[in-house]
Amino acid sequence: MLKYMEIAADIERSIVEEDLKQGTKLPKFDELIRKYGVSKSTIVKALNILEGRGAIYQIQGSGVFVRRRNRLGYINMIENQGFTTNLDHFDITAKVLSLEKVLPDLEVKENLNCQEGEEVYHVKRIRYINEQILCVEESFFKSDIVTYLNEEIVMGSIFTYLNEALKLNIGFSDKYLHMIKLNEDNSPLLDLKPGDPGLFIEELFYLSSGVPFDFSRTVYHYEHSQFFVQSSSLNH
Amino acid sequence: MLKYMEIAADIERSIVEEDLKQGTKLPKFDELIRKYGVSKSTIVKALNILEGRGAIYQIQGSGVFVRRRNRLGYINMIENQGFTTNLDHFDITAKVLSLEKVLPDLEVKENLNCQEGEEVYHVKRIRYINEQILCVEESFFKSDIVTYLNEEIVMGSIFTYLNEALKLNIGFSDKYLHMIKLNEDNSPLLDLKPGDPGLFIEELFYLSSGVPFDFSRTVYHYEHSQFFVQSSSLNH
């Protein structure tokens, strides 16, 4: 992990552990520079990470202040490392419905920039949050990047495996979402009825090099999923 | 507008106007410093803004690259300046159902840190996107900050008014969202039926000083609303 990311993680951990309130002023730049023994630019980067995550806000000429969420049990909509890494420590499990190599449909092919005839990993899972059905998820992985998957891996956090075993650096993602009425196909998988609400999310994940490697389509259970989004002044 | 925000806006405008493709490399730091006649730290700030907005990605030691969305017509879920400022230039209008000063309920009172007996502005509107019903929105504004509202103002973009007329600096926001089935009260306002899907979003907006000033509850029309979220490596 890069130094500024370590520092960001350390500051965030201390906010949570010391249970600092919204608006609490953090130590000045000089103190942070002394404490971590790094340059000013490293501290600036760490604080920008934290501002982007919604963990702090910065007021020019005034200082750096704590931001806290006032509700727990919501999934972070901006986090792009898969939700098993969330601070709330949800109990996330999965049942694998399908794991195979397939020729991608046109939408998957275009999103993943596949060559003609190039196969991709297709993973279909039901995911559970605290033992309730959270979503049904279909993911397509580019197989020249995600070179190996098996049933054991996809039962857990695929992103942790990509990161730790395949040493892939996950960079950023595009999410597109809208509501649907469930149909005859997806409602039984969520243990719901046709016509019930669902949140449909399509997501394209990129490596930090800018190469797309995972295209997913997910339908969330309307009673078991809730999300939060913290915008920062970086999002103006 | 601060210099680094101007530069960020200028770079983003040129990406859109020149229709640069995903992965296009932007000019090097030195060139940007020369072009805009500013310090390196100002360029770093401008690029961080753009990374936070999902307009670019940065690869350490390699450069700065363009990010483009491949779909239009989606509302930015992270943008916190009200969606009338979006680059897609949606045609957003509003019908005002109610504008009055009221004593807040407990949830509003706590979110806005109201004193005992302190009244807030209550605004209820139906908002339209390209002449279709987008959502029904109830907002509560702290009246010592938002000191004046009238029917003409709330028919347009309230945030533009707050920014330009009241000179308020909008800082950041917390959003909490989940799906609902519409009921007898809200379904007729959306021209839908009870039991149809809806996306319920509660949002708390803060000034850049960290003071909360607007708490809103919004229900989105499931057929007329779609959203995108672009995560950056700042969201790890």
Side-chain angles (χ1 to χ4, degrees):
Chain A
M1 204 190 274
L2 293 167
K3 193 69 195 169
Y4 68 91
M5 291 175 70
E6 271 175 36
I7 295 172
D10 189 66
I11 294 174
E12 188 165 23
R13 198 162 36 235
S14 70
I15 289 172
V16 173
E17 278 171 8
E18 295 168 32
D19 195 20
L20 301 182
K21 299 285 170 264
Q22 174 104 7
T24 305
K25 193 170 178 173
L26 288 181
K28 287 193 210 307
F29 268 82
D30 294 353
E31 283 177 58
L32 293 173
I33 290 168
R34 251 198 321 276
K35 175 171 178 190
Y36 292 106
V38 294
S39 68
K40 185 174 175 188
S41 73
T42 302
I43 296 295
V44 169
K45 274 191 198 162
L47 294 177
N48 278 333
I49 293 273
L50 290 172
E51 185 161 3
R53 287 177 60 83
I56 61 162
Y57 59 97
Q58 308 189 55
I59 307 180
Q60 198 120 28
S62 174
V64 178
F65 302 86
V66 169
R67 265 183 91 175
R68 294 301 295 272
R69 276 189 296 139
N70 51 14
R71 303 187 193 184
L72 294 177
Y74 288 72
I75 297 165
N76 189 345
M77 177 77 85
I78 306 186
E79 189 96 38
N80 57 0
Q81 299 294 295
F83 35 58
T84 21
T85 64
N86 199 287
L87 273 182
D88 279 336
H89 298 301
F90 295 118
D91 176 26
I92 302 280
T93 54
K95 185 166 94 185
V96 181
L97 302 181
S98 166
L99 166 62
E100 54 185 345
K101 276 195 170 182
V102 299
L103 280 174
D105 65 34
L106 192 61
E107 191 187 24
V108 173
K109 185 167 176 271
E110 285 182 353
N111 275 288
L112 295 179
N113 291 329
C114 292
Q115 305 289 318
E116 206 51 49
E118 181 184 337
E119 289 191 325
V120 297
Y121 272 111
H122 170 231
V123 181
K124 188 167 179 175
R125 306 188 292 181
I126 296 177
R127 303 197 76 182
Y128 299 83
I129 186 164
N130 302 333
E131 298 183 354
Q132 292 188 303
I133 296 175
L134 174 64
C135 60
V136 51
E137 175 197 87
E138 257 193 310
S139 298
F140 300 88
F141 294 95
K142 212 161 167 1
S143 59
D144 57 346
I145 298 172
V146 179
T147 47
Y148 180 73
L149 286 177
N150 66 24
E151 175 112 4
E152 197 193 331
I153 294 166
V154 303
M155 278 178 63
S157 165
I158 297 178
F159 274 32
T160 301
Y161 162 76
L162 298 182
N163 225 308
E164 294 177 3
L166 297 189
K167 304 293 179 201
L168 296 176
N169 287 315
I170 293 149
F172 50 92
S173 76
D174 304 330
K175 284 191 181 70
Y176 296 93
L177 48 134
H178 66 270
M179 283 160 283
I180 58 171
K181 282 185 178 175
L182 299 181
N183 59 31
E184 306 277 344
D185 292 330
N186 50 26
S187 57
L189 297 174
L190 294 169
D191 201 14
L192 289 171
K193 287 190 227 26
D196 278 343
L199 185 65
F200 181 69
I201 304 189
E202 289 167 285
E203 189 160 15
L204 184 60
F205 293 91
Y206 300 79
L207 298 179
S208 54
S209 63
V211 175
F213 70 96
D214 171 9
F215 180 73
S216 294
R217 302 180 182 121
T218 309
V219 181
Y220 283 89
H221 190 296
Y222 79 105
E223 286 173 314
H224 303 159
S225 64
Q226 44 186 13
F227 302 88
F228 73 93
V229 178
Q230 285 182 298
S231 319
S232 75
S233 61
L234 297 177
N235 306 122
H236 279 200
Chain B
M1 205 191 272
L2 293 168
K3 192 69 196 168
Y4 67 92
M5 293 175 69
E6 271 175 39
I7 294 172
D10 189 65
I11 294 174
E12 187 165 23
R13 201 162 35 235
S14 70
I15 289 171
V16 173
E17 280 173 6
E18 295 168 32
D19 195 20
L20 300 182
K21 301 284 170 266
Q22 174 104 8
T24 305
K25 192 169 179 177
L26 288 181
K28 286 191 209 309
F29 268 82
D30 294 352
E31 282 177 59
L32 293 172
I33 289 168
R34 251 199 321 275
K35 174 172 178 187
Y36 292 106
V38 295
S39 68
K40 183 172 177 191
S41 73
T42 303
I43 296 294
V44 169
K45 274 190 195 161
L47 294 177
N48 278 333
I49 294 272
L50 290 173
E51 185 161 1
R53 288 176 60 83
I56 61 163
Y57 58 98
Q58 308 188 56
I59 306 180
Q60 200 122 25
S62 171
V64 178
F65 301 86
V66 169
R67 265 184 89 176
R68 294 300 296 274
R69 277 190 293 139
N70 51 13
R71 303 186 193 185
L72 295 176
Y74 287 72
I75 296 165
N76 189 344
M77 179 76 87
I78 307 185
E79 188 95 41
N80 58 0
Q81 299 293 294
F83 32 59
T84 23
T85 62
N86 198 287
L87 273 182
D88 278 337
H89 298 302
F90 294 119
D91 176 27
I92 302 280
T93 54
K95 185 165 95 182
V96 181
L97 302 180
S98 166
L99 166 63
E100 55 185 344
K101 277 194 169 182
V102 298
L103 280 174
D105 65 34
L106 191 63
E107 190 187 26
V108 174
K109 184 166 176 272
E110 286 182 352
N111 275 288
L112 295 179
N113 291 329
C114 292
Q115 306 288 316
E116 204 52 48
E118 181 185 335
E119 290 190 324
V120 296
Y121 273 111
H122 170 231
V123 181
K124 188 167 180 176
R125 305 188 291 180
I126 297 177
R127 303 196 78 182
Y128 299 84
I129 186 163
N130 303 334
E131 299 184 350
Q132 292 189 302
I133 296 174
L134 174 64
C135 61
V136 51
E137 174 197 88
E138 258 193 311
S139 297
F140 299 88
F141 295 95
K142 210 159 169 2
S143 59
D144 58 347
I145 296 171
V146 179
T147 48
Y148 181 73
L149 286 177
N150 66 24
E151 176 114 6
E152 197 193 330
I153 294 165
V154 303
M155 278 177 63
S157 165
I158 297 178
F159 275 31
T160 302
Y161 161 77
L162 299 181
N163 226 307
E164 293 177 3
L166 297 188
K167 306 291 178 202
L168 297 175
N169 288 315
I170 293 148
F172 50 92
S173 76
D174 303 332
K175 284 190 182 69
Y176 296 94
L177 47 135
H178 65 270
M179 285 161 282
I180 58 170
K181 282 184 176 176
L182 300 180
N183 60 29
E184 305 277 343
D185 292 330
N186 50 25
S187 56
L189 298 173
L190 294 169
D191 201 14
L192 289 171
K193 288 192 230 15
D196 279 340
L199 185 67
F200 182 69
I201 303 190
E202 290 170 282
E203 188 160 18
L204 184 60
F205 293 91
Y206 300 78
L207 298 179
S208 52
S209 64
V211 174
F213 71 96
D214 172 8
F215 180 73
S216 294
R217 300 179 183 123
T218 308
V219 181
Y220 283 88
H221 191 296
Y222 79 105
E223 287 173 312
H224 303 159
S225 63
Q226 45 185 12
F227 302 88
F228 74 91
V229 178
Q230 286 182 297
S231 317
S232 75
S233 62
L234 298 176
N235 305 121
H236 281 198

